[in-house]
Amino acid sequence: MKNSTSGISRRGFLTGAAAAGAIATLGLAGCAPKAQTDAVAEPDAPAAGAAAAPAATPANDWLGTAPEISDDQIASTRDCEVLIVGAGMSGIMAAATAADLGVDFILAEKGTEPAASHFDVGAVNSRFTSELTGQTIDKGRILNELNRYASFKNDASVAKTWVEESGPTVEWLQAFYEDKLGACEVTVAVENGGEGDAGGTIYYMPPECHTFLNGEGRNIAHVEAMTEILGQMGHEVDYGYDLVKLIRQDGGRVEGAIFDTADGYVRVNASKGVVLATGGYPANADMVRALNPIVPACVTSTNYNQNNTGMGIKAALWAGADMDKTPAAMIFDRGIVEPGVDAGYTSDGPDAMFATGGQFNLGSQPFLKVSRNGVRIANESCNYDSICHAASNHPGGVWALIMDANAPEDVQRFKSQGCSAGTWKRTLKDKTVDEAYTEKYIDTGLMMKADTLEELADKLGFEGKAKEQFLATIERYNELYDAGEDVDMGKEAYRLSAIRTAPFYGAWFGGALLTTLDGLRINKDTQVLDADANPIEGLCAVGTCSGSYYSGNYPVYLVGNCLGRQITFGRHAVRFLTGDIQA
């Protein structure tokens, strides 16, 4: 049975800071145009040796062609040294760097207010790493852990920029905050380090998760805080700037961009270059269907910034850029839905969204997880997105999580890492399942509670052979728990759990899409590349509109590495364009 979302539009669902929801907590604000009524034309032809934008075909008709904007349509023209497109985490960090260096810059953002931001900043061997943990991260090992996650489809030299520069970037940011805010403390999550607790196959999980706290011990909301700091320094974010196209003549350097604003088209000339920080394309269903088909096959929950429609990627492709050959997405296993809801979009068209049940952190706990046929689908101790990928091969792309009344004790033993740790550290700490979840999940029909397993099966919608298999799977799972060895899926013994003590609980999940991660190919200096791997002069890309870093999935056990990449590359791009660092 397909879910039918009632009366939810993209504009009404998430706007501005509310657009943050769960993943704009990553600060992935972006720029994208409103629908254009102007006739469109092919982009300027690139010079010999430069890559042409892919031709529009049924496979990539999401791309379209660059709009033709004549000079007499330009309402105003502005000039700067560096144009930063997008004021999410990557863009705001680029702007802070530009302000600190005394660079003349313009920060253009599609939205109307600061996006929210996540707090976990992944960094390698900052001074805080050694001071607070007494450890030193093996740079070669963490670099190759990134490569392994990406099956070496990434560019190791790009990943190395984060490995080498993230530590110094965190130190700079702490000093910047301390100077502007009066206080800034940095913590490093020691518990998110050390082997043996990562789950599944043993992943490398060094202590690189940094969190910034203000003088009162509260997390600093980076985008909001940095926006205020920039204002104090005499700079402002130009909101309501929808990117229309980049300006590049005859395959030369990128000279600036054109935006659609409330006052008409605005041309911005940038003498030193443009930094694209526009986010990925999760809010463009046509792009997702064409480029990232695993997403609609397993995702049930809309948790991405609605400004991230891939416009920066499209504008760069029109200007001759190249894009990653393989997709990647950040999908968390927390998209709770009612029984009978399938993964996938709830409507057609580019503005389609997924169900909006939201993220339920419990979904990441390694309890028994079964398909609609009642069969176990994977080692539940795997990465957040791995269970989603596995579910894409089963009916509806969803799975049911099953546990009993001993769940609070179980999660203390599981000791999951990363943001999923909130379940055992807070939600179920010293609480029963009913105390933690009745009001929000059990009473709303999202989590099922039953006195017997047969009753639970009925409430979850299992019938006939599927119900028989469901009960048999639980019996088998209890046997594995008793034996202390998972000979079926290879899960660690400490992450097995008995399902014998009433009441019993179950809930259906799909994936929660936070963002896409494949983007424009870049080099180690964030310069956008053409199809021949030549840099396009004057154009850099950072954050999730940039690629060359991930492939397939998100390296979830390198906690905070996405935000760490954003602040590191946002700063690097401006320093590179202005000559503060050399190629």
Side-chain angles (χ1 to χ4, degrees):
M1 180 176 65
K2 193 72 173 179
N3 176 64
S4 59
T5 303
S6 59
I8 297 176
S9 67
R10 167 170 295 161
R11 181 169 296 180
F13 179 64
L14 294 174
T15 57
I23 183 62
T25 60
L26 291 177
L28 306 178
C31 292
K34 297 186 286 288
Q36 298 291 329
T37 57
D38 307 272
V40 297
E42 292 293 333
D44 298 327
T57 69
N60 68 348
D61 56 7
W62 53 266
L63 179 58
T65 53
E68 189 70 30
I69 308 297
S70 62
D71 290 343
D72 59 8
Q73 290 179 279
I74 302 297
S76 63
T77 299
R78 303 174 63 186
D79 298 302
C80 63
E81 291 180 304
V82 175
L83 168 62
I84 304 165
V85 189
M89 191 62 197
S90 301
I92 208 74
M93 187 66 176
T97 300
D100 191 49
L101 292 174
V103 174
D104 177 25
F105 70 94
I106 289 174
L107 178 57
E109 162 62 34
K110 176 192 175 182
T112 59
E113 58 187 330
S117 60
H118 197 52
F119 306 112
D120 296 335
V121 177
V124 179
N125 291 340
S126 72
R127 68 176 177 85
F128 306 106
T129 308
S130 58
E131 290 175 3
L132 299 177
T133 73
Q135 299 183 43
T136 300
I137 297 173
D138 185 329
K139 289 184 177 181
R141 186 174 180 189
I142 197 170
L143 173 62
N144 281 293
E145 189 74 350
L146 283 166
N147 298 339
R148 181 171 73 94
Y149 270 105
S151 298
F152 285 80
K153 297 174 184 176
N154 62 339
D155 184 330
S157 69
V158 175
K160 194 169 187 292
T161 296
W162 174 71
V163 171
E164 294 292 346
E165 295 186 19
S166 55
T169 299
V170 159
E171 294 172 12
W172 177 86
L173 184 57
Q174 186 275 337
F176 186 81
Y177 275 145
E178 191 166 72
D179 178 59
K180 306 302 180 184
L181 300 177
C184 177
E185 176 188 359
V186 174
T187 64
V188 181
V190 180
E191 68 272 18
N192 285 341
E195 301 173 39
D197 291 328
T201 55
I202 300 301
Y203 289 85
Y204 183 45
M205 195 173 182
E208 37 80 49
C209 177
H210 294 62
T211 303
F212 293 73
L213 304 174
N214 64 15
E216 299 176 350
R218 292 195 298 269
N219 287 327
I220 293 174
H222 297 290
V223 179
E224 182 177 346
M226 198 67 77
T227 300
E228 294 179 1
I229 290 171
L230 288 173
Q232 295 167 6
M233 297 177 70
H235 304 283
E236 63 181 22
V237 180
D238 287 300
Y239 293 110
Y241 268 55
D242 293 1
L243 178 63
V244 174
K245 63 184 294 186
L246 296 170
I247 302 169
R248 186 189 188 197
Q249 303 295 335
D250 300 326
R253 67 179 288 113
V254 170
E255 302 170 357
I258 296 174
F259 298 89
D260 187 8
T261 76
D263 298 320
Y265 289 117
V266 176
R267 173 176 174 140
V268 178
N269 298 319
S271 61
K272 293 187 181 296
V274 174
V275 178
L276 289 174
T278 54
Y281 57 90
N284 186 328
D286 284 349
M287 286 185 72
V288 171
R289 292 184 187 105
L291 300 178
N292 226 318
I294 192 70
V295 168
C298 67
V299 165
T300 58
S301 186
T302 297
N303 292 98
Y304 42 81
N305 189 325
Q306 295 296 302
N307 288 334
N308 291 353
T309 57
M311 190 55 209
I313 294 173
K314 291 172 65 173
L317 292 176
W318 291 335
D322 195 23
M323 189 177 178
D324 285 336
K325 296 177 178 63
T326 57
M330 188 184 295
I331 304 172
F332 283 7
D333 48 359
R334 303 172 189 169
I336 190 168
V337 290
E338 296 176 356
V341 175
D342 288 341
Y345 290 107
T346 60
S347 62
D348 298 325
D351 293 336
M353 295 193 297
F354 303 97
T356 56
Q359 288 197 60
F360 183 17
N361 196 280
L362 179 70
S364 293
Q365 293 301 312
F367 289 107
L368 173 66
K369 296 174 181 178
V370 299
S371 75
R372 281 188 179 155
N373 290 334
V375 299
R376 191 178 175 199
I377 61 176
N379 174 353
E380 299 89 355
S381 193
C382 54
N383 279 358
Y384 300 161
D385 54 4
S386 297
I387 198 75
C388 308
H389 294 166
S392 70
N393 296 311
H394 293 269
V398 294
W399 65 91
L401 177 149
I402 311 299
M403 62 189 193
D404 71 5
N406 293 315
E409 292 76 24
D410 291 333
V411 298
Q412 296 302 319
R413 183 176 69 257
F414 295 162
K415 197 182 178 183
S416 64
Q417 298 295 285
C419 54
S420 69
T423 296
W424 60 271
K425 287 183 176 180
R426 293 181 293 276
T427 310
L428 284 178
K429 185 176 177 62
D430 302 321
K431 292 181 181 179
T432 66
V433 174
D434 286 357
E435 289 170 341
Y437 298 134
T438 293
E439 181 177 357
K440 188 172 182 179
Y441 295 104
I442 298 175
D443 285 351
T444 59
L446 288 171
M447 176 182 278
M448 305 303 153
K449 174 185 176 182
D451 292 327
T452 67
L453 290 171
E454 289 80 2
E455 180 189 2
L456 182 64
D458 293 337
K459 287 187 173 183
L460 289 170
F462 290 103
E463 298 177 346
K465 291 184 178 180
K467 180 177 178 179
E468 294 176 7
Q469 180 60 60
F470 170 76
L471 296 172
T473 298
I474 293 178
E475 182 178 359
R476 171 61 175 169
Y477 196 71
N478 284 332
E479 292 173 354
L480 298 174
Y481 172 79
D482 292 340
E485 183 179 8
D486 183 6
V487 295
D488 292 350
M489 294 290 183
K491 184 159 68 175
E492 307 93 330
Y494 77 95
R495 285 192 165 171
L496 293 168
S497 56
I499 307 174
R500 292 191 174 108
T501 305
F504 303 99
Y505 302 89
W508 287 99
F509 287 89
L513 177 62
L514 280 65
T515 189
T516 55
L517 295 170
D518 52 314
L520 300 167
R521 291 179 58 210
I522 61 172
N523 63 15
K524 64 182 180 63
D525 288 313
T526 75
Q527 289 179 288
V528 176
L529 304 177
D530 64 21
D532 294 322
N534 296 314
I536 297 175
E537 295 299 324
L539 183 62
C540 291
V542 296
T544 54
C545 72
S546 68
S548 302
Y549 198 88
Y550 301 111
S551 180
N553 66 346
Y554 176 64
V556 66
Y557 289 128
L558 301 180
V559 181
N561 77 88
C562 185
L563 198 63
R565 176 185 69 142
Q566 289 175 334
I567 70 164
T568 302
F569 285 35
R571 178 164 169 76
H572 184 104
V574 170
R575 295 183 67 202
F576 175 78
L577 287 174
T578 58
D580 190 55
I581 54 175
Q582 302 299 316

